[in-house]
Amino acid sequence: MSVDATPDPYADQLAFGQRLKILRTRRGHTRDQLGGLVGRSGSWVRALEEGRLKVPRLDTVLRLAEALRVRDLGELTGDQSSPPVGLFAGPRHPRLGPVKAAIDTWSLADTEEAPPAEHLAARLAAAWSARHSAPDHRERIGALLPGLIQDARRAAVQAETPADRRATQAALSEVYSLAQFFIAYQGDVSLLWRVVERGMVAAQDSADPHTIGVAAWLAAQAHRDSGPGHFDAADTVTNDVLRYLTPMLPDAPDKILAITGALTFEAAYTAARRGETGTAWRHWDRARELADRLPADYFHPVTSFSRGIMGAHAVTVAVELHAGGESVRQAGLADADTIPSRPRRARHRIEEARAYHLDGQPDAALATLAKAHAAAPETIKYNGYAKRIVLEEAEAKSPSRRRRASALAVQLGILAA
């Protein structure tokens, strides 16, 4: 290796601190940023990197791995016997290959006629219904996506009038939105960003405010989940589209109110990740005001935004601010039964579990994760926060807690039976 080459953090001879420094640098974190994400100081991170502190306990290693988005713990520890679990990259779904092939294929000689717009719309509606109602939602939408992608592209290419072109671009953007839900947390970052960018381009070409809002909502999430170095990009997308939508609000239909509310909550979420307590709750309050303007039974089909979701959103804000007591208080106020979407309900249960874990209630956290698994196994299986809690408690001092955590780890496929 030349003297100018970047060291490989996976080489066996590197110490834990060296691996930590290389992975931190690659993720674009400063020491203060990484320390803040795990509740420590920048000087503590420096001491670890320089080898002045010994390798921390498993729970802390898991938090570092979570913040660095490493694929497996062994990449950080150098220990090949570490659990082969990708904390923020779940197992690749068997249907990822066909979905990727459909996204990557551009057939210029395709002469097959596109389906009627009504037929495509009905298939999209069925796919969203499966997304929200099926416990194996990734399996269901993964089976539908290749055909939807191909037919939505055909429709966009074959559109003859400006109005038809805008409508087909809106449908294509919606298909990419559905694809992003399927692809998320499967470790194929380049594929995820191709889908995000194509969804945004198609949304802009549609000139439809709701479609643009949905694409921006998903793009903001992709930026935020890429780490602190991308928080500004998440805010830029969110704020630009909020400025575009806000003048429409006085007489807006429900779906415009809902996507504006969902984007406003995204601003709260990013502020909470930054640790900006006042800003996060101010955005949450604004999102709640928008939710209160919606009918009591309204539920946005993509973002799940509704009156009932605001309690779950409050738990997320408190958890991201690392406020254990407030997180548990908000969890007690939220009603999971008001969330009709199974994967979104499971996600809320995971956030509740994080709240209990932050508050030093590991048994309650494990019980809540079991509820998440019952609601939607394919949601918790791909969630890094859930896996971190389970792995940490699988090494707890309490024998009964170890057994419960280990049994859940087996269900999630992160430990062998």
Side-chain angles (χ1 to χ4, degrees), residues 12 68 76 84 86 103 137 158 163 171 210 230 254 271 293 296 309 328 347 352 355 361 399-400 406 410:
D12 289 342
L68 294 167
L76 177 58
I103 291 168
H137 52 92
Q158 296 171 21
H210 177 258
H230 298 261
D254 290 341
R293 291 178 56 184
I309 205 69
V328 171
R347 166 70 187 279
E352 284 187 316
Q361 301 184 50
S400 62
S406 297
V410 170

Side-chain angles (χ1 to χ4, degrees), residues 206-261:
S206 78
D208 176 67
H210 177 258
T211 303
I212 292 169
V214 170
W217 180 76
L218 286 162
Q221 292 185 20
H223 280 297
R224 186 180 57 244
D225 286 345
S226 296
H230 298 261
F231 288 173
D232 287 347
D235 279 339
T236 296
V237 172
T238 302
N239 293 331
D240 282 352
V241 178
L242 282 174
R243 281 192 291 271
Y244 165 68
L245 294 173
T246 297
M248 307 176 193
L249 295 182
D251 302 309
D254 290 341
K255 66 179 184 179
I256 296 297
L257 287 174
I259 194 58
T260 306

Side-chain angles (χ1 to χ4, degrees), residues 18-37:
Q18 293 173 298
R19 291 170 179 270
L20 178 64
K21 182 176 181 179
I22 294 166
L23 291 167
R24 173 182 63 77
T25 302
R26 287 185 179 180
R27 290 299 300 177
H29 297 319
T30 66
R31 290 185 175 116
D32 286 338
Q33 287 172 336
L34 179 58
L37 289 171

Side-chain angles (χ1 to χ4, degrees), residues 368-386:
T368 307
L369 288 178
K371 293 179 182 178
H373 187 267
E378 284 199 342
T379 293
I380 188 171
K381 185 176 182 179
Y382 289 82
N383 188 279
Y385 297 118

